[in-house]
Amino acid sequence: MKVRTKRLVTISLLSGISFVLGFTPLGFIPIPPANATTMHIPVIIGAILEGPVAGMIIGLIFGVSSIIQALLRPNILSFAFINPLVSVLPRILIGLVSYYSYRLVFELFSSNKEKVSKWRNSVSVGVGAALGTLTNTVGVLSMMYLLFADRIATAMGVAREAVGGVMLGIGLTNGIPEIIIAVLITVGVIRAVKKAGY
């Protein structure tokens, strides 16, 4: 019962943070033509602390916030984010990828006692944060390309054949800072939480 209560409190707290990020400039950083985001970070933290289901629930909230954001503060690519396959599905998958990549790296460290150190959890968390962020970036941009390449070409005034390059450019411009920020924040938060005896 105590574990279940702790999990519900964690999910509620991180979901609340996601809502705050979703409706303030802190959650979406304009880097035209799209927005970089910090909203994946609570999803990653929730997944690593409480498991994949918790991460998926927080990811769902992230996705719904993206739809609302696209409706309230549209940019030239917002039409794509109204579609849940772009805005929701990749965000749910963040929780799965973050948790299982974290566990895999952690177990690899644990299986070789010579390599086990006090840094193994931080390295595992960092890998989970990086791959979770990559899941968001690649998932969103891939779905945009698959579903809306023609409309993106029209909206941005580029040739249909150039859309793939545009998506790659957005991925590099937004994705690299998102990965760095996610790793730094997630490792710091998880380390502090573990030190506090969570």
Side-chain angles (χ1 to χ4, degrees):
M1 186 68 178
K2 186 178 179 182
V3 172
R4 185 178 297 174
T5 301
K6 180 170 71 73
R7 180 169 295 163
L8 286 173
V9 169
T10 302
I11 292 172
S12 299
L13 178 63
L14 291 170
S15 297
I17 292 171
S18 289
F19 270 118
V20 170
L21 291 175
F23 294 99
T24 66
L26 296 173
F28 297 93
I29 303 161
I31 301 179
N35 291 323
T37 184
T38 57
M39 286 189 64
H40 58 296
I41 297 173
V43 182
I44 295 167
I45 293 171
I48 291 173
L49 287 178
E50 293 295 349
V53 174
M56 291 168 70
I57 292 169
I58 302 166
L60 174 64
I61 291 168
F62 174 14
V64 171
S65 297
S66 295
I67 294 175
I68 296 171
Q69 179 79 7
L71 293 170
L72 295 180
R73 285 194 274 182
N75 59 39
I76 62 170
L77 297 179
S78 290
F79 62 84
F81 287 89
I82 296 170
N83 188 318
L85 292 176
V86 174
S87 56
V88 178
L89 179 61
R91 276 64 190 268
I92 291 174
L93 294 176
I94 295 171
L96 285 174
V97 173
S98 298
Y99 175 78
Y100 286 110
S101 57
Y102 159 75
R103 289 304 308 172
L104 176 63
V105 175
F106 190 86
E107 293 302 322
L108 287 175
F109 272 109
S110 300
S111 65
N112 188 337
K113 299 300 181 185
E114 294 178 4
K115 292 185 179 179
V116 173
S117 72
K118 64 180 181 178
W119 295 104
R120 74 176 179 182
N121 195 58
S122 293
V123 172
S124 305
V125 169
V127 171
L131 292 180
T133 305
L134 198 59
T135 299
N136 178 52
T137 303
V138 173
V140 169
L141 294 177
S142 296
M143 294 304 290
M144 288 175 68
Y145 180 77
L146 290 172
L147 298 174
F148 297 109
D150 290 331
R151 289 186 65 182
I152 291 169
T154 302
M156 300 186 71
V158 298
R160 170 66 171 76
E161 296 75 22
V163 173
V166 171
M167 294 291 100
L168 179 61
I170 293 172
L172 293 174
T173 303
N174 293 0
I176 292 172
E178 287 175 359
I179 288 173
I180 294 168
I181 292 168
V183 169
L184 292 174
I185 292 176
T186 304
V187 168
V189 169
I190 298 289
R191 187 182 293 172
V193 168
K194 296 290 186 184
K195 193 174 289 187
Y198 181 86

